[in-house]
Each structure stands twice: as structure tokens, then as C-alpha cells.
Amino acid sequence: AYIGLDATGVRQQGPHAERAEGRMPWVGVIFNPNLQATKRQQRMWDSRYVSGLMSLEEIGAQLRRECAAVGVDKADRVVALSDGGCLIKRRGIENCLTDVLGGLANEFVFILDFWHAADHVQEFAKLFIVNEGARQQQVKAWCHMLKHKGGHALLETIEGLELSRASPQAQENHRELCGYLQNNLHRTDYPRYVKNGWQIGSGKVESACKSVVACRLKGPGMRWHAYGTTALCQLRALYKSNLWPHYWKTTST
């Protein structure tokens, strides 16, 4: 089984219809892909979503209830996928999902979204390598190393680069990339993940941010109050989880 958690921005309405600072509702998803199905069938995975403007503890409690409802304890292993984010956000999400799965899942492992890591490599290469052809080749080689040898191998290679002639911006980005890889080493054993047939991309939760929240709350000119943001996020989560008829049936009775 898989679990993911991320946040997405929603524009807010202030007093007197003034624009206010945006807020970031959480979006969580639990799903179990059928690996024996066709590609078209795999796009129709049964998924459970939770969403709303709330604390990590609150969204975690909702995720845990959904995990229990769908029988996550019966899975051999639960894979937790998320992007790198900032260090504080990443640790917050990992701690939250650890609490969600603790005592419920038989075994769980955290995986860093491979494409998020690749984007960081690409960003550094743009500053470090001027020639576009050479840059594309180097990025391809580094990403291949990351996928087939893991984060430790790439970090060692990046740390060993000669930067004496690099621009100050490239040197600063190099420092940030090394820190990013170091902080996520425990989630970058991609050779093992691929060998085991596990997904290494967090596209499911990123897609959920769009389908659950953005498609309804981020239309042209839309701004929301906090209570309306959470209410509609929760209704959208019910609807996208195919729980809409069940919710109204149980609520009306």
C-alpha cells in the first residue's frame, strides 16, 4: 500500500473583500495499485483522500482513520512517498506519517520523490555547466547514477566536484544540493526500491492536490475564508474517494 501527504496553496479572502495571505491546506492519499491490471485500469485505482486547513496532528488523525478503514494493517508493507520540501516541512511530514502508521502497518518505508531530486540536480547543473549539450549529458548521467546507485553515490560525486572556477551562485547551489541529498539519504535507496517494484514518484499525491483542491478552489478570481476552505476541501475529499453516496446515506439516517 502507499500513502502520501503534501500541501497546496489556496488564495484567501480578507476583511472588506480584501485579498489576504494565502493558506496551505493539507492533502493526504492512501492507495493500493493493482500491478496486474492494464495501464488504463491502473489509472482507476481505489484511493482515499483527506484534506483541509488543519494541523499535522489533525490531518494525521484523519489519515490514520482512513488507513484503519481500508485495512492497511493487512498490507505487507506501506510505502510513504513525498517530495523533499524544506527540512522543517519534510521532518514534519515524516513524523506525522510515522505516527499515522505506527502500530498499524506491519512495515513502512519512506521514499523521496525521484523527480523532485532530479529537479534539484537540474537546477545546479544550469549554474555549473554553461554548454547546454554538455549540461544535458551530465544531468542524464547524474540522474542515472541516482536511480541505479542511490543517493550516497551521487552525493559523493557531487561533493567531489572542482568548484574553484564556478560562480558564487553555483557554489551556493552546490552547498544547498549537498545538504538536500544529505538530509534525504535515508529515502534515496532507489536501486532497492526499483528492484522491489515500488513506485519512486509522488505523482499520486501531487495529482491529488490538483484534483481534490485546485480544480474546485483555485478558479479565476476565487478567494476563500479559512472555514470555507476546509469545508470544501473535506467535501472534495469525500467526493474523490467515491464516498459521497455513503456519506449522505449515513448522515441522513
Side-chain angles (χ1 to χ4, degrees):
Y2 291 83
I3 187 170
L5 182 62
D6 204 352
T8 185
V10 173
R11 293 185 294 271
Q12 297 291 290
Q13 180 90 306
H16 311 295
E18 297 173 353
R19 179 179 297 181
E21 183 176 356
R23 300 284 299 276
M24 300 282 287
W26 291 106
V27 181
V29 60
I30 307 135
F31 64 101
N32 186 357
N34 181 359
L35 300 181
Q36 305 302 318
T38 65
K39 288 185 177 180
R40 182 175 182 180
Q41 290 172 330
Q42 287 183 27
R43 289 197 295 268
M44 300 173 66
W45 296 328
D46 288 331
S47 304
R48 290 287 185 95
Y49 301 97
V50 296
S51 182
L53 282 173
M54 56 190 74
S55 67
L56 270 172
E57 291 75 16
E58 290 171 323
I59 197 71
Q62 289 195 10
L63 267 173
R64 186 174 176 86
R65 287 195 294 269
E66 293 302 320
C67 285
V70 299
V72 161
D73 59 310
K74 296 180 176 63
D76 295 327
R77 182 180 294 103
V78 180
V79 175
L81 282 162
S82 65
D83 62 32
C86 66
L87 185 59
I88 295 176
K89 175 187 172 185
R90 177 181 64 77
R91 285 178 175 170
I93 289 177
E94 285 194 20
N95 291 337
C96 174
L97 294 181
T98 298
D99 292 339
V100 168
L101 298 171
L104 187 62
N106 295 315
E107 180 183 348
F108 55 91
V109 59
F110 288 95
I111 297 180
L112 172 67
D113 173 51
F114 177 80
W115 309 110
H116 193 269
D119 285 342
H120 279 263
V121 172
Q122 175 85 24
E123 183 180 347
F124 166 66
K126 287 180 180 179
L127 298 171
F128 182 58
I129 305 174
V130 177
N131 182 274
E132 183 175 356
R135 180 171 65 245
Q136 291 178 353
Q137 286 296 112
Q138 186 61 77
V139 169
K140 183 177 180 180
W142 283 339
C143 289
H144 185 274
M145 177 184 294
L146 178 62
K147 187 172 184 178
H148 296 280
K149 294 185 178 180
H152 285 276
L154 180 61
L155 177 60
E156 182 178 346
T157 297
I158 295 295
E159 286 181 332
L161 293 174
E162 172 56 52
L163 295 168
S164 60
R165 297 185 179 182
S167 67
Q169 293 88 346
Q171 293 181 22
E172 175 61 20
N173 193 275
H174 175 267
R175 183 190 66 78
E176 293 175 354
L177 177 59
C178 289
Y180 173 86
L181 291 171
Q182 183 66 53
N183 291 328
N184 287 286
L185 280 180
H186 64 293
R187 304 198 295 159
T188 57
D189 189 3
Y190 296 112
R192 180 169 70 96
Y193 308 151
V194 172
K195 180 180 178 181
N196 290 338
W198 302 341
Q199 294 185 22
I200 59 173
S202 62
K204 185 68 174 178
V205 70
E206 292 173 10
S207 175
C209 288
K210 297 177 182 177
S211 62
V212 174
V213 177
C215 286
R216 179 60 183 86
L217 282 82
K218 298 175 75 170
M222 287 185 177
R223 295 204 293 265
W224 302 84
H225 292 293
Y227 63 85
T229 302
T230 294
L232 203 48
C233 281
Q234 291 180 330
L235 287 175
R236 288 286 296 175
L238 279 171
Y239 178 72
K240 298 299 290 186
S241 300
N242 293 321
L243 294 174
W244 188 261
H246 174 74
Y247 172 78
W248 287 113
K249 181 178 179 180
T250 55
T251 300
S252 63
T253 56

